[in-house]
Amino acid sequence: MMAARGRPREFDVDEALERAVDVFWRQGYEGTTLEDLTNAMSISRPSLYAAFGNKEGTFRQAIGRYARVEMSYIDAALAMPTARAVAEHYLRSNVVSITLPDRPRGCLSIQGGLAGHPADQRIVDFLNESRGAGEARFVRRFQQAIDEGDLSAAEDPAELARYLATVTAGLAVQASAGATRAELARVAERALAAFPQ
């Protein structure tokens, strides 16, 4: 078998993506230029193209990394034993995540595509699909809770999942506007009233 041709990468892909996450998070997709990315990632344009394709490809991979790293608490939330515990872990962890002092405030998947040029519709669609896939995981978990008798059969798992998604989106917008962690935590606790003890 022949060895792969070409020079090895001279940068760490995960580290470069972490820097791209930060740029997209602070500036949004539309507000981020290729120059912003290459400067932050300390790589050349040809290196960016070779590793990530283009700006859109970089953003898609940055969102994937953001989901794996910044939102890893979702997996832990979904593994909780009751629907109430799922919502509790998710909301409380979300409040912490969107108010970390060393990170931009809010949520990359919300801020990244709130405003977009018509030419960027693929990005808006991609973010909507990503959020929809996340919401579907909660629908399945709440359906499981109904099947197990943890939630009333009168509950609608899709409505509960949409409710949580709406609350966390609102929390992210409030965080980016300067709301404190304590203020957002009180909102999250109020939202938990939708889930029986």
Side-chain angles (χ1 to χ4, degrees):
M1 190 164 138
M2 294 183 63
R5 293 179 182 248
R7 293 186 343 202
R9 285 199 182 114
E10 297 173 1
F11 65 94
D12 181 283
V13 172
D14 284 336
E15 186 179 313
L17 270 179
E18 186 61 29
R19 292 177 180 174
V21 164
D22 191 70
V23 174
F24 283 125
W25 200 344
R26 292 181 192 282
Q27 299 176 199
Y29 180 80
E30 187 177 7
T32 298
T33 65
L34 279 172
E35 186 177 5
D36 294 332
L37 290 170
T38 55
N39 287 342
M41 298 162 85
S42 300
I43 61 175
S44 66
R45 276 195 189 202
S47 292
L48 182 142
Y49 290 136
F52 308 111
N54 55 17
K55 176 180 161 181
E56 181 178 334
T58 307
F59 183 75
R60 287 173 180 265
Q61 290 192 46
I63 286 287
R65 179 168 176 79
Y66 175 80
R68 287 189 307 276
V69 176
E70 305 291 337
M71 299 184 74
S72 59
Y73 60 86
I74 292 176
D75 289 336
L78 290 166
M80 290 289 145
T82 65
R84 166 81 183 198
V86 167
E88 223 170 286
H89 188 89
Y90 178 55
L91 287 169
R92 290 177 179 168
S93 299
N94 178 262
V95 167
V96 170
S97 176
I98 62 178
T99 57
L100 289 171
D102 60 333
R103 302 299 270 159
R105 295 179 67 82
C107 173
L108 171 59
S109 67
I110 301 293
Q111 268 109 283
L114 273 182
H117 190 275
D120 297 330
Q121 187 60 42
R122 283 192 319 276
I123 291 299
V124 174
D125 293 343
F126 164 68
L127 289 171
N128 287 337
E129 288 164 16
S130 296
R131 285 190 295 271
E135 199 173 304
R137 296 180 70 196
F138 282 91
V139 173
R140 290 191 295 273
R141 180 61 187 86
F142 294 144
Q143 183 60 59
Q144 177 189 336
I146 291 168
D147 295 344
E148 293 172 351
D150 173 48
L151 278 177
S152 163
E155 288 287 3
D156 182 328
E159 272 183 22
L160 283 175
R162 175 59 54 94
Y163 172 72
L164 273 185
T166 303
V167 169
T168 54
L171 290 171
V173 171
Q174 291 288 320
S176 66
T180 67
R181 181 177 291 180
E183 290 168 338
L184 298 175
R186 287 194 292 274
V187 174
E189 293 306 311
R190 185 171 288 272
L192 284 172
F195 294 84
Q197 291 276 17

